[in-house]
């Protein structure tokens, strides 16, 4: 397992540091240009706030394989009179996720008709901010601003913007020769985000969500990535200096990706959706706080990794793994959570999947752990080491 981590999963800190610095400079230029060109008179304009938030495994020290993909939240500035309205309690929205609507106050849409017609839609008789309309505006706005950035950065790199319907735009960065020592082309997913305060954001739901009578575009998903980063920072301070908790997460993600190669559709896609990186990280958080952190010294790597696999197996069999932050009263007081998270309704991350699927994933997970040396040897050739697209 250590050799698998060192040879196939671990990212060079030198390469990752160069890549993150380069991504930060390019995104800062683009956001600055987009904010400058998006300023409009009056309080009823949609614009960029002017900053960006780095999220994801690349900034949490558990990225695997190649440092070529990054996630960035781009906060937007909205007009007032849009208030968040959590919707899980009334059964609206996809299962296994906390969703929230941004409802316009009564009478506001009549006074602000241009904004309402351009960015809102009706849901249950009330006007709600549409994530789809905001996403389309965001894509077009960045595309219009790309010319200025491309001109300023032409000596450093070549940049382009690509977008798929319903997905956040992706900024492609190809460094010029001799500028970045690593010469890695990078893909940066730019995610428009609605600030809720207290380092919480709302982001558009993925397009594969169920489409029923409810208009999915009227709902937003909750993003608490900054609080995940704060918890990881607190764990780093409390755990032994040579803690293996991030190694366990990296190895489990690597085994999950290797095991995909031996699975057939549709179960292959279900395997990746059930064992998403967010779910694996949630299981790790829950297990870490159940026992003494001294037990996570790297001398006990195999034991702790087996504990994590067995904990996941039990969660899959019981069909229950609760979101770590929503309504959780057992989080250490040192990790201060905003009131919005504390009072939110708990969410079962596995409620979107049926029992037979979860049982099959649990069986394959144990099988993968038992056969880990064989799977690593079998799928370690270059043809299998290409990046696997994440659902």
């Amino acid at each position: 397992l250590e050799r698998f981590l060192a040879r196939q999963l671990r990212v060079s800190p030198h390469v990752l540091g160069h890549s993150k610095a380069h991504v930060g400079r390019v995104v800062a230029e683009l956001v600055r240009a987009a904010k400058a060109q998006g300023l409009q008179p009056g309080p009823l304009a949609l614009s960029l706030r002017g900053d960006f938030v780095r999220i994801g495994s690349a900034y949490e020290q558990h990225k695997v394989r190649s440092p070529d993909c990054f996630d960035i939240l781009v906060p937007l500035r909205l007009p007032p009179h849009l208030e968040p309205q959590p919707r899980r309690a009334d059964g609206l929205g996809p299962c296994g996720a906390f969703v929230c609507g941004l409802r316009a106050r009564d009478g506001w849409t009549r006074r602000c008709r241009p904004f309402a017609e351009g960015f809102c839609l009706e849901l249950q008789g009330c006007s709600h901010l549409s994530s789809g309309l905001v996403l389309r505006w965001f894509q077009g706005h960045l595309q219009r601003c790309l010319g200025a950035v491309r001109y300023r950065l032409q000596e450093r790199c070549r940049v382009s913007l690509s977008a798929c319907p319903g997905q956040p735009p992706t900024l492609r960065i190809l460094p010029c020769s001799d500028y970045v020592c690593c010469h890695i082309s990078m893909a940066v997913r730019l995610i428009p985000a609605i600030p809720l305060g207290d380092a919480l954001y709302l982001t558009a739901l993925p397009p594969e969500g169920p489409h029923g009578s409810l208009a999915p575009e009227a709902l937003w998903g909750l993003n608490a990535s900054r609080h995940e980063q704060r918890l990881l920072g607190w764990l780093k301070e409390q755990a032994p200096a040579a803690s293996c908790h991030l190694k366990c997460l990296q190895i489990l993600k690597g085994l999950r990706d290797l095991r995909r190669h031996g699975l057939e559709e549709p179960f292959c896609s279900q395997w990746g959706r059930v064992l998403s990186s967010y779910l694996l990280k949630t299981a790790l958080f829950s297990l870490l706080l159940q026992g003494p952190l001294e037990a996570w010294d790297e001398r006990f790597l195999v034991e702790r990794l087996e504990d994590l696999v067995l904990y996941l197996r039990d969660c899959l069999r019981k069909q229950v793994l609760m979101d770590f932050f929503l309504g959780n009263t057992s989080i250490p007081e040192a990790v201060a959570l905003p009131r919005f998270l504390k009072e939110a309704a708990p969410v079962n991350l596995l409620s979107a999947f049926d029992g037979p699927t979860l049982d099959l994933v649990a069986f394959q997970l144990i099988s993968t752990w038992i056969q880990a040396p064989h799977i690593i040897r079998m799928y370690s050739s270059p043809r299998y080491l290409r990046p696997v697209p994440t659902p």
Side-chain angles (χ1 to χ4, degrees):
L1 293 175
E2 287 277 14
R3 193 159 55 246
F4 172 55
L5 176 66
R7 293 182 178 179
Q8 298 185 31
L9 301 180
R10 181 175 286 128
V11 177
S12 163
H14 173 79
V15 176
L16 183 59
H18 269 276
S19 299
K20 289 196 294 187
H22 194 48
V23 165
R25 283 192 289 268
V26 174
V27 172
E29 290 275 2
L30 180 58
V31 168
R32 192 180 303 118
K35 181 190 178 186
Q37 295 189 24
L39 294 177
Q40 300 177 21
L44 303 181
L46 188 62
S47 62
L48 272 63
R49 196 170 70 178
D51 60 335
F52 57 93
V53 181
R54 302 168 175 89
I55 64 171
S57 59
Y59 301 100
E60 296 174 357
Q61 285 76 54
H62 56 86
K63 185 143 182 79
V64 297
R65 303 198 189 280
S66 178
D68 54 357
C69 297
F70 300 86
D71 284 343
I72 301 287
L73 292 181
V74 183
L76 305 181
R77 192 185 300 279
L78 293 177
H81 309 299
L82 288 169
E83 52 191 23
Q85 186 179 37
R87 305 307 298 260
R88 278 303 291 137
D90 54 18
L92 297 176
C95 295
F98 179 90
V99 293
C100 187
L102 281 168
R103 185 174 65 87
R105 295 177 185 172
D106 295 337
W108 180 78
T109 52
R110 291 191 299 272
R111 296 193 302 270
C112 311
R113 188 171 299 276
F115 183 89
E117 291 178 350
F119 296 105
C120 296
L121 51 79
E122 291 293 320
L123 172 63
Q124 296 182 336
C126 297
S127 187
H128 287 70
L129 185 69
S130 165
S131 59
L133 294 175
V134 170
L135 186 59
R136 284 192 282 275
W137 170 86
F138 181 74
Q139 293 170 348
H141 187 55
L142 290 186
Q143 193 68 55
R144 289 189 294 272
C145 300
L146 190 61
V149 175
R150 186 182 287 119
Y151 174 75
R152 286 201 293 265
L153 299 174
Q154 61 184 353
E155 295 182 359
R156 299 179 182 178
C157 58
R158 294 196 295 272
V159 294
S160 62
L161 198 67
S162 60
C164 296
Q167 296 279 5
T170 299
L171 183 68
R172 308 280 177 178
I173 304 174
L174 181 62
C176 295
S177 178
D178 298 327
Y179 178 70
V180 177
C181 67
C182 312
H183 303 291
I184 294 177
S185 60
M186 290 157 280
V188 185
R189 195 165 59 139
L190 300 173
I191 306 170
I194 308 300
L196 284 182
D198 294 319
L200 287 175
Y201 299 90
L202 295 178
T203 58
L205 293 170
E208 60 264 24
H211 297 264
S213 58
L214 171 69
E217 289 189 3
L219 297 176
W220 298 74
L222 186 66
N223 187 294
S225 295
R226 292 291 295 151
H227 296 281
E228 295 171 26
Q229 293 172 2
R230 291 173 184 174
L231 178 62
L232 284 168
W234 179 83
L235 288 169
K236 184 178 180 181
E237 294 175 356
Q238 302 298 318
S243 176
C244 66
H245 62 281
L246 292 182
K247 284 185 178 180
C248 289
L249 182 58
Q250 290 175 305
I251 293 173
L252 192 55
K253 289 198 293 186
L255 290 174
R256 173 202 63 189
D257 294 342
L258 285 188
R259 192 66 190 93
R260 274 189 183 137
H261 297 298
L263 303 176
E264 297 182 356
E265 293 292 354
F267 180 65
C268 181
S269 297
Q270 294 170 340
W271 168 264
R273 284 196 295 269
V274 172
L275 298 181
S276 66
S277 294
Y278 184 76
L279 186 134
L280 297 183
K281 187 165 59 172
T282 299
L284 177 66
F285 287 158
S286 302
L287 188 61
L288 275 166
L289 296 185
Q290 288 185 7
L293 293 176
E294 291 76 15
W296 289 84
D297 189 275
E298 64 180 357
R299 293 174 298 164
F300 312 117
L301 171 67
V302 176
E303 291 90 338
R304 297 293 80 77
L305 188 52
E306 182 169 287
D307 288 345
L308 181 57
V309 170
L310 294 176
Y311 178 77
L312 265 172
R313 189 270 314 268
D314 293 341
C315 291
L316 292 167
R317 287 180 173 176
K318 296 174 184 175
Q319 304 177 27
V320 175
L321 178 60
M322 305 307 293
D323 188 285
F324 187 77
F325 290 98
L326 296 172
N328 188 350
T329 58
S330 61
I331 294 179
E333 293 183 2
V335 184
L337 288 185
R339 182 179 176 182
F340 191 91
L341 284 182
K342 292 179 180 178
E343 298 180 353
V347 171
N348 179 12
L349 299 179
L350 296 176
S351 62
F353 306 99
D354 58 70
T357 297
L358 296 179
D359 287 341
L360 188 54
V361 171
F363 170 78
Q364 285 291 350
L365 179 63
I366 292 297
S367 174
T368 300
W369 173 243
I370 294 173
Q371 303 179 56
H374 173 69
I375 291 173
I376 291 171
R377 286 194 301 269
M378 177 179 291
Y379 298 115
S380 292
S381 62
R383 60 173 292 198
Y384 291 116
L385 296 181
R386 295 167 186 160
V388 179
T390 303

